[in-house]
Amino acid sequence: SAIANAPVCQLGWHWKLGMFRRRSSVTRYLLSETVDFSDDADSDFENTARTRQRVFPASAEKGKMRTVDTSRLKTSDICHDVTLTSGQKRVCRLGMSSCNRNSVALLQSRQVVGSQSGGGLSSSSKAVVASCYLPNCVETVARFGSRVFVGIFSQDGSVFLSSCQDHHIRLFDTTNGKFQCFKDINAMEVGWSVVDVSYSPDQNYLIYSSWCDCIHLCAVHKENSVHIPLNLRPNGHSFCPFSVRFSQDNAEILAGASDGCLYIYDRHRDDRTLRVCGHGEHINSVAFADDSSKLLISAADDGIVSVWDRRTLSEEDPCPVGQFAGHGAGMTFVDPKGDGRHLITNSKDQSIKLWDIRCFSSKEAVMVGISSGC
C-alpha cells in the first residue's frame, strides 16, 4: 500500500542515501536555444505524446496545497532509517533523540573530535550541514541548438550527461567544480530524439534508446570508442524503449517499451533473452528491485506498477507477483530504494508515492485503476 504521497518537489532527493545534498553553491543550467515546438516530428511520437501529456487532478484547487496524511509514514521503518541517515536523529542509551542541527556547532565538534581521532564529519552530519544551505546564484554552463530531453549525473557525480534532439549525447567532467565537455557521442538510428540514457554500475558504459528496434551501448571514457547496437527484436513496427536500465552486475539490460512489453538483453549471450507482455499501455519506467536482479519493476501509462519475479516468470503466461494501484494517471518514473522493500513512483497526476513492496494492492483496486483509464 502507499505509505504517503506528496506534490513533486524540485529539490533532488538522493533516494538511496536518504538525504538531501547539493553539489555546489551554484545552480547550473543547460539551455536550449530554440523554444519553437512546431518543428516536424515523428508521427508516431506525436500520437504517443498526446497520451503521455501531464494530467492534473480535477479535485486540486488552483494555488492550494493538498494536506497529506503522513501518520503511517512516521511510524514506518523507512522513516526511522532516513532520519538516522540524514542526521535528523541519533541513537543513544535512552533511545532516539533529536540531533543538533546547528552547522557551526557541528563544524566545531569536527575540529575537536577530528583532531583526536583523525577523522571528520560523518555522512549524517554532512547531510545536516548541507541541508542548511541553498544555491544562491545561477550559472549557464552550456547552450544547445535543440531541445534537451535527458540530463543525469553518474553515480559518483563526476560526470554529467545530456542528450538533445540534435542526436548528440554530451558528457561533461564535473570534478572539482568544473563543467567541461570531454566527449560528444553522435547517436545512431535516432527516431525523433534520444528518449532515455542510463549508466552502467561501473560507470564505464552507457546505454541509450530511441524510436528504433535497437538500444545502443557506448563507452563513457574518451579513450574507448565502443558504440554498438543491441537488437531487442520486437514484434511489429513503431517501437521505442522508453526506459532502459543496467543490472547491478552489468550482465543484463532491462527495457520497458511502447508495446507494453519488458525486454531483457543478456550482454554475455549478446541476445535478447526475455520478452514479457506486462501492460496494456506504454511502459514508461523500469527498474531492478535490488542487486540480485531477480525482481523487476515496471510502471506504465495504465497507472499500474507491476513487480515480476524472474524465477517464476514465463513469456507464454506472464503473471506479476504483485501490483500497486493508487495514482490518478499514468506513471512516469519508478525508483526502488535498493533494500528490496521500498520504492517511489511519480505520476502524471503530479504526485510522488512511497510504497512498501511487501503490501501489494488488492485485485479489486488494480482493476479499478485500469478501468478508470489512467
Side-chain angles (χ1 to χ4, degrees), residues 112-143:
V112 174
V113 177
S115 61
Q116 297 173 352
S117 63
L121 288 176
S122 65
S123 59
S124 59
S125 296
K126 291 177 182 177
V128 172
V129 174
S131 66
C132 298
Y133 302 95
L134 292 174
N136 54 14
C137 60
V138 176
E139 176 187 4
T140 300
V141 293
R143 291 181 180 272

PDB file of all heavy atoms in Angstrom, residues 112-143:
ATOM      1  N   VAL A 112      37.333  19.366  17.052  1.00  0.00           N
ATOM      2  CA  VAL A 112      37.791  18.760  18.303  1.00  0.00           C
ATOM      3  C   VAL A 112      37.951  17.253  18.147  1.00  0.00           C
ATOM      4  O   VAL A 112      39.008  16.685  18.414  1.00  0.00           O
ATOM      5  CB  VAL A 112      36.804  19.073  19.445  1.00  0.00           C
ATOM      6  CG1 VAL A 112      37.213  18.326  20.716  1.00  0.00           C
ATOM      7  CG2 VAL A 112      36.747  20.560  19.692  1.00  0.00           C
ATOM      8  N   VAL A 113      36.876  16.603  17.665  1.00  0.00           N
ATOM      9  CA  VAL A 113      36.892  15.143  17.540  1.00  0.00           C
ATOM     10  C   VAL A 113      37.843  14.690  16.438  1.00  0.00           C
ATOM     11  O   VAL A 113      38.576  13.717  16.590  1.00  0.00           O
ATOM     12  CB  VAL A 113      35.465  14.620  17.250  1.00  0.00           C
ATOM     13  CG1 VAL A 113      35.487  13.106  17.038  1.00  0.00           C
ATOM     14  CG2 VAL A 113      34.528  14.989  18.389  1.00  0.00           C
ATOM     15  N   GLY A 114      37.873  15.443  15.345  1.00  0.00           N
ATOM     16  CA  GLY A 114      38.721  15.062  14.225  1.00  0.00           C
ATOM     17  C   GLY A 114      40.196  15.098  14.572  1.00  0.00           C
ATOM     18  O   GLY A 114      40.971  14.261  14.126  1.00  0.00           O
ATOM     19  N   SER A 115      40.588  16.076  15.372  1.00  0.00           N
ATOM     20  CA  SER A 115      41.999  16.176  15.739  1.00  0.00           C
ATOM     21  C   SER A 115      42.418  15.028  16.647  1.00  0.00           C
ATOM     22  O   SER A 115      43.585  14.648  16.686  1.00  0.00           O
ATOM     23  CB  SER A 115      42.238  17.515  16.462  1.00  0.00           C
ATOM     24  OG  SER A 115      41.450  17.583  17.649  1.00  0.00           O
ATOM     25  N   GLN A 116      41.442  14.442  17.375  1.00  0.00           N
ATOM     26  CA  GLN A 116      41.766  13.345  18.276  1.00  0.00           C
ATOM     27  C   GLN A 116      41.717  11.994  17.570  1.00  0.00           C
ATOM     28  O   GLN A 116      42.504  11.099  17.841  1.00  0.00           O
ATOM     29  CB  GLN A 116      40.790  13.337  19.457  1.00  0.00           C
ATOM     30  CG  GLN A 116      40.873  14.601  20.304  1.00  0.00           C
ATOM     31  CD  GLN A 116      39.783  14.647  21.370  1.00  0.00           C
ATOM     32  OE1 GLN A 116      38.882  13.806  21.385  1.00  0.00           O
ATOM     33  NE2 GLN A 116      39.875  15.620  22.270  1.00  0.00           N
ATOM     34  N   SER A 117      40.766  11.841  16.654  1.00  0.00           N
ATOM     35  CA  SER A 117      40.587  10.538  16.006  1.00  0.00           C
ATOM     36  C   SER A 117      41.134  10.484  14.597  1.00  0.00           C
ATOM     37  O   SER A 117      41.230   9.408  14.008  1.00  0.00           O
ATOM     38  CB  SER A 117      39.086  10.196  15.962  1.00  0.00           C
ATOM     39  OG  SER A 117      38.387  11.147  15.165  1.00  0.00           O
ATOM     40  N   GLY A 118      41.486  11.650  14.038  1.00  0.00           N
ATOM     41  CA  GLY A 118      41.985  11.675  12.676  1.00  0.00           C
ATOM     42  C   GLY A 118      40.887  11.617  11.644  1.00  0.00           C
ATOM     43  O   GLY A 118      41.160  11.504  10.452  1.00  0.00           O
ATOM     44  N   GLY A 119      39.632  11.690  12.086  1.00  0.00           N
ATOM     45  CA  GLY A 119      38.504  11.623  11.168  1.00  0.00           C
ATOM     46  C   GLY A 119      37.848  12.969  10.984  1.00  0.00           C
ATOM     47  O   GLY A 119      38.350  14.000  11.418  1.00  0.00           O
ATOM     48  N   GLY A 120      36.694  12.971  10.316  1.00  0.00           N
ATOM     49  CA  GLY A 120      35.943  14.202  10.081  1.00  0.00           C
ATOM     50  C   GLY A 120      34.482  13.982  10.375  1.00  0.00           C
ATOM     51  O   GLY A 120      34.116  13.140  11.199  1.00  0.00           O
ATOM     52  N   LEU A 121      33.645  14.726   9.700  1.00  0.00           N
ATOM     53  CA  LEU A 121      32.214  14.603   9.891  1.00  0.00           C
ATOM     54  C   LEU A 121      31.702  13.283   9.329  1.00  0.00           C
ATOM     55  O   LEU A 121      32.170  12.804   8.288  1.00  0.00           O
ATOM     56  CB  LEU A 121      31.490  15.756   9.202  1.00  0.00           C
ATOM     57  CG  LEU A 121      31.618  17.148   9.833  1.00  0.00           C
ATOM     58  CD1 LEU A 121      30.905  18.172   8.955  1.00  0.00           C
ATOM     59  CD2 LEU A 121      31.055  17.183  11.243  1.00  0.00           C
ATOM     60  N   SER A 122      30.718  12.710   9.998  1.00  0.00           N
ATOM     61  CA  SER A 122      30.061  11.515   9.487  1.00  0.00           C
ATOM     62  C   SER A 122      29.166  11.905   8.325  1.00  0.00           C
ATOM     63  O   SER A 122      28.886  13.089   8.096  1.00  0.00           O
ATOM     64  CB  SER A 122      29.234  10.858  10.594  1.00  0.00           C
ATOM     65  OG  SER A 122      28.165  11.719  10.993  1.00  0.00           O
ATOM     66  N   SER A 123      28.696  10.906   7.571  1.00  0.00           N
ATOM     67  CA  SER A 123      27.830  11.186   6.431  1.00  0.00           C
ATOM     68  C   SER A 123      26.536  11.862   6.869  1.00  0.00           C
ATOM     69  O   SER A 123      26.015  12.737   6.179  1.00  0.00           O
ATOM     70  CB  SER A 123      27.518   9.891   5.678  1.00  0.00           C
ATOM     71  OG  SER A 123      26.886   8.964   6.536  1.00  0.00           O
ATOM     72  N   SER A 124      26.005  11.473   8.044  1.00  0.00           N
ATOM     73  CA  SER A 124      24.777  12.096   8.531  1.00  0.00           C
ATOM     74  C   SER A 124      25.013  13.547   8.926  1.00  0.00           C
ATOM     75  O   SER A 124      24.180  14.423   8.671  1.00  0.00           O
ATOM     76  CB  SER A 124      24.214  11.312   9.718  1.00  0.00           C
ATOM     77  OG  SER A 124      25.155  11.250  10.781  1.00  0.00           O
ATOM     78  N   SER A 125      26.177  13.834   9.520  1.00  0.00           N
ATOM     79  CA  SER A 125      26.495  15.220   9.887  1.00  0.00           C
ATOM     80  C   SER A 125      26.705  16.082   8.645  1.00  0.00           C
ATOM     81  O   SER A 125      26.320  17.249   8.607  1.00  0.00           O
ATOM     82  CB  SER A 125      27.742  15.268  10.776  1.00  0.00           C
ATOM     83  OG  SER A 125      27.513  14.617  12.008  1.00  0.00           O
ATOM     84  N   LYS A 126      27.312  15.506   7.614  1.00  0.00           N
ATOM     85  CA  LYS A 126      27.474  16.236   6.358  1.00  0.00           C
ATOM     86  C   LYS A 126      26.118  16.583   5.758  1.00  0.00           C
ATOM     87  O   LYS A 126      25.931  17.667   5.206  1.00  0.00           O
ATOM     88  CB  LYS A 126      28.281  15.407   5.366  1.00  0.00           C
ATOM     89  CG  LYS A 126      29.749  15.229   5.737  1.00  0.00           C
ATOM     90  CD  LYS A 126      30.458  14.332   4.724  1.00  0.00           C
ATOM     91  CE  LYS A 126      31.907  14.099   5.114  1.00  0.00           C
ATOM     92  NZ  LYS A 126      32.578  13.177   4.158  1.00  0.00           N
ATOM     93  N   ALA A 127      25.159  15.654   5.884  1.00  0.00           N
ATOM     94  CA  ALA A 127      23.812  15.913   5.371  1.00  0.00           C
ATOM     95  C   ALA A 127      23.157  17.064   6.115  1.00  0.00           C
ATOM     96  O   ALA A 127      22.459  17.895   5.527  1.00  0.00           O
ATOM     97  CB  ALA A 127      22.960  14.654   5.492  1.00  0.00           C
ATOM     98  N   VAL A 128      23.392  17.121   7.424  1.00  0.00           N
ATOM     99  CA  VAL A 128      22.825  18.204   8.228  1.00  0.00           C
ATOM    100  C   VAL A 128      23.388  19.546   7.795  1.00  0.00           C
ATOM    101  O   VAL A 128      22.660  20.528   7.606  1.00  0.00           O
ATOM    102  CB  VAL A 128      23.101  17.965   9.729  1.00  0.00           C
ATOM    103  CG1 VAL A 128      22.686  19.187  10.544  1.00  0.00           C
ATOM    104  CG2 VAL A 128      22.358  16.740  10.218  1.00  0.00           C
ATOM    105  N   VAL A 129      24.712  19.608   7.634  1.00  0.00           N
ATOM    106  CA  VAL A 129      25.350  20.872   7.233  1.00  0.00           C
ATOM    107  C   VAL A 129      24.882  21.290   5.845  1.00  0.00           C
ATOM    108  O   VAL A 129      24.528  22.453   5.609  1.00  0.00           O
ATOM    109  CB  VAL A 129      26.887  20.729   7.266  1.00  0.00           C
ATOM    110  CG1 VAL A 129      27.543  21.997   6.715  1.00  0.00           C
ATOM    111  CG2 VAL A 129      27.364  20.459   8.688  1.00  0.00           C
ATOM    112  N   ALA A 130      24.855  20.354   4.905  1.00  0.00           N
ATOM    113  CA  ALA A 130      24.471  20.675   3.528  1.00  0.00           C
ATOM    114  C   ALA A 130      23.021  21.132   3.439  1.00  0.00           C
ATOM    115  O   ALA A 130      22.679  21.969   2.597  1.00  0.00           O
ATOM    116  CB  ALA A 130      24.703  19.462   2.627  1.00  0.00           C
ATOM    117  N   SER A 131      22.140  20.593   4.298  1.00  0.00           N
ATOM    118  CA  SER A 131      20.728  20.946   4.228  1.00  0.00           C
ATOM    119  C   SER A 131      20.456  22.369   4.693  1.00  0.00           C
ATOM    120  O   SER A 131      19.360  22.889   4.495  1.00  0.00           O
ATOM    121  CB  SER A 131      19.903  19.969   5.076  1.00  0.00           C
ATOM    122  OG  SER A 131      20.212  20.109   6.454  1.00  0.00           O
ATOM    123  N   CYS A 132      21.447  23.002   5.315  1.00  0.00           N
ATOM    124  CA  CYS A 132      21.265  24.381   5.802  1.00  0.00           C
ATOM    125  C   CYS A 132      21.529  25.422   4.721  1.00  0.00           C
ATOM    126  O   CYS A 132      21.317  26.611   4.956  1.00  0.00           O
ATOM    127  CB  CYS A 132      22.197  24.643   6.986  1.00  0.00           C
ATOM    128  SG  CYS A 132      21.881  23.588   8.425  1.00  0.00           S
ATOM    129  N   TYR A 133      21.998  24.996   3.568  1.00  0.00           N
ATOM    130  CA  TYR A 133      22.399  25.949   2.543  1.00  0.00           C
ATOM    131  C   TYR A 133      21.740  25.628   1.211  1.00  0.00           C
ATOM    132  O   TYR A 133      21.556  24.467   0.855  1.00  0.00           O
ATOM    133  CB  TYR A 133      23.926  25.943   2.381  1.00  0.00           C
ATOM    134  CG  TYR A 133      24.654  26.268   3.657  1.00  0.00           C
ATOM    135  CD1 TYR A 133      25.105  25.243   4.484  1.00  0.00           C
ATOM    136  CD2 TYR A 133      24.857  27.590   4.061  1.00  0.00           C
ATOM    137  CE1 TYR A 133      25.760  25.530   5.679  1.00  0.00           C
ATOM    138  CE2 TYR A 133      25.504  27.880   5.246  1.00  0.00           C
ATOM    139  CZ  TYR A 133      25.946  26.853   6.048  1.00  0.00           C
ATOM    140  OH  TYR A 133      26.587  27.135   7.228  1.00  0.00           O
ATOM    141  N   LEU A 134      21.390  26.646   0.479  1.00  0.00           N
ATOM    142  CA  LEU A 134      20.799  26.501  -0.843  1.00  0.00           C
ATOM    143  C   LEU A 134      21.639  27.276  -1.860  1.00  0.00           C
ATOM    144  O   LEU A 134      22.312  28.252  -1.494  1.00  0.00           O
ATOM    145  CB  LEU A 134      19.362  27.034  -0.856  1.00  0.00           C
ATOM    146  CG  LEU A 134      18.339  26.246  -0.039  1.00  0.00           C
ATOM    147  CD1 LEU A 134      17.003  26.990  -0.031  1.00  0.00           C
ATOM    148  CD2 LEU A 134      18.157  24.854  -0.610  1.00  0.00           C
ATOM    149  N   PRO A 135      21.620  26.863  -3.130  1.00  0.00           N
ATOM    150  CA  PRO A 135      22.340  27.634  -4.154  1.00  0.00           C
ATOM    151  C   PRO A 135      21.859  29.078  -4.190  1.00  0.00           C
ATOM    152  O   PRO A 135      20.659  29.346  -4.088  1.00  0.00           O
ATOM    153  CB  PRO A 135      21.979  26.901  -5.450  1.00  0.00           C
ATOM    154  CG  PRO A 135      21.641  25.515  -5.017  1.00  0.00           C
ATOM    155  CD  PRO A 135      21.001  25.653  -3.680  1.00  0.00           C
ATOM    156  N   ASN A 136      22.785  30.021  -4.311  1.00  0.00           N
ATOM    157  CA  ASN A 136      22.410  31.436  -4.264  1.00  0.00           C
ATOM    158  C   ASN A 136      22.798  32.203  -5.523  1.00  0.00           C
ATOM    159  O   ASN A 136      22.726  33.426  -5.560  1.00  0.00           O
ATOM    160  CB  ASN A 136      23.034  32.118  -3.045  1.00  0.00           C
ATOM    161  CG  ASN A 136      24.543  31.928  -2.988  1.00  0.00           C
ATOM    162  OD1 ASN A 136      25.161  31.513  -3.963  1.00  0.00           O
ATOM    163  ND2 ASN A 136      25.129  32.233  -1.840  1.00  0.00           N
ATOM    164  N   CYS A 137      23.209  31.492  -6.573  1.00  0.00           N
ATOM    165  CA  CYS A 137      23.482  32.156  -7.834  1.00  0.00           C
ATOM    166  C   CYS A 137      23.278  31.164  -8.973  1.00  0.00           C
ATOM    167  O   CYS A 137      23.220  29.951  -8.753  1.00  0.00           O
ATOM    168  CB  CYS A 137      24.902  32.736  -7.876  1.00  0.00           C
ATOM    169  SG  CYS A 137      26.212  31.518  -7.669  1.00  0.00           S
ATOM    170  N   VAL A 138      23.146  31.686 -10.168  1.00  0.00           N
ATOM    171  CA  VAL A 138      22.853  30.865 -11.337  1.00  0.00           C
ATOM    172  C   VAL A 138      23.958  31.029 -12.364  1.00  0.00           C
ATOM    173  O   VAL A 138      24.444  32.137 -12.599  1.00  0.00           O
ATOM    174  CB  VAL A 138      21.498  31.264 -11.958  1.00  0.00           C
ATOM    175  CG1 VAL A 138      21.253  30.471 -13.240  1.00  0.00           C
ATOM    176  CG2 VAL A 138      20.363  31.028 -10.973  1.00  0.00           C
ATOM    177  N   GLU A 139      24.346  29.924 -12.960  1.00  0.00           N
ATOM    178  CA  GLU A 139      25.390  29.942 -13.973  1.00  0.00           C
ATOM    179  C   GLU A 139      24.953  29.082 -15.156  1.00  0.00           C
ATOM    180  O   GLU A 139      24.563  27.935 -14.965  1.00  0.00           O
ATOM    181  CB  GLU A 139      26.705  29.406 -13.407  1.00  0.00           C
ATOM    182  CG  GLU A 139      27.827  29.311 -14.434  1.00  0.00           C
ATOM    183  CD  GLU A 139      29.057  28.618 -13.867  1.00  0.00           C
ATOM    184  OE1 GLU A 139      28.980  28.160 -12.706  1.00  0.00           O
ATOM    185  OE2 GLU A 139      30.058  28.530 -14.580  1.00  0.00           O
ATOM    186  N   THR A 140      24.975  29.637 -16.356  1.00  0.00           N
ATOM    187  CA  THR A 140      24.695  28.870 -17.561  1.00  0.00           C
ATOM    188  C   THR A 140      25.984  28.209 -18.023  1.00  0.00           C
ATOM    189  O   THR A 140      26.971  28.886 -18.312  1.00  0.00           O
ATOM    190  CB  THR A 140      24.135  29.767 -18.680  1.00  0.00           C
ATOM    191  OG1 THR A 140      22.922  30.375 -18.233  1.00  0.00           O
ATOM    192  CG2 THR A 140      23.851  28.956 -19.934  1.00  0.00           C
ATOM    193  N   VAL A 141      25.975  26.880 -18.095  1.00  0.00           N
ATOM    194  CA  VAL A 141      27.207  26.154 -18.399  1.00  0.00           C
ATOM    195  C   VAL A 141      27.232  25.611 -19.826  1.00  0.00           C
ATOM    196  O   VAL A 141      28.289  25.253 -20.338  1.00  0.00           O
ATOM    197  CB  VAL A 141      27.415  24.986 -17.407  1.00  0.00           C
ATOM    198  CG1 VAL A 141      27.671  25.529 -16.006  1.00  0.00           C
ATOM    199  CG2 VAL A 141      26.211  24.054 -17.405  1.00  0.00           C
ATOM    200  N   ALA A 142      26.082  25.538 -20.485  1.00  0.00           N
ATOM    201  CA  ALA A 142      26.062  25.021 -21.857  1.00  0.00           C
ATOM    202  C   ALA A 142      24.793  25.482 -22.550  1.00  0.00           C
ATOM    203  O   ALA A 142      23.749  25.631 -21.923  1.00  0.00           O
ATOM    204  CB  ALA A 142      26.146  23.498 -21.866  1.00  0.00           C
ATOM    205  N   ARG A 143      24.903  25.719 -23.837  1.00  0.00           N
ATOM    206  CA  ARG A 143      23.747  26.079 -24.669  1.00  0.00           C
ATOM    207  C   ARG A 143      23.723  25.171 -25.890  1.00  0.00           C
ATOM    208  O   ARG A 143      24.768  24.859 -26.453  1.00  0.00           O
ATOM    209  CB  ARG A 143      23.823  27.545 -25.120  1.00  0.00           C
ATOM    210  CG  ARG A 143      23.620  28.554 -23.997  1.00  0.00           C
ATOM    211  CD  ARG A 143      23.691  29.979 -24.534  1.00  0.00           C
ATOM    212  NE  ARG A 143      23.503  30.968 -23.496  1.00  0.00           N
ATOM    213  CZ  ARG A 143      22.316  31.440 -23.101  1.00  0.00           C
ATOM    214  NH1 ARG A 143      21.216  31.001 -23.703  1.00  0.00           N
ATOM    215  NH2 ARG A 143      22.220  32.340 -22.155  1.00  0.00           N
TER     216      ARG A 143
END
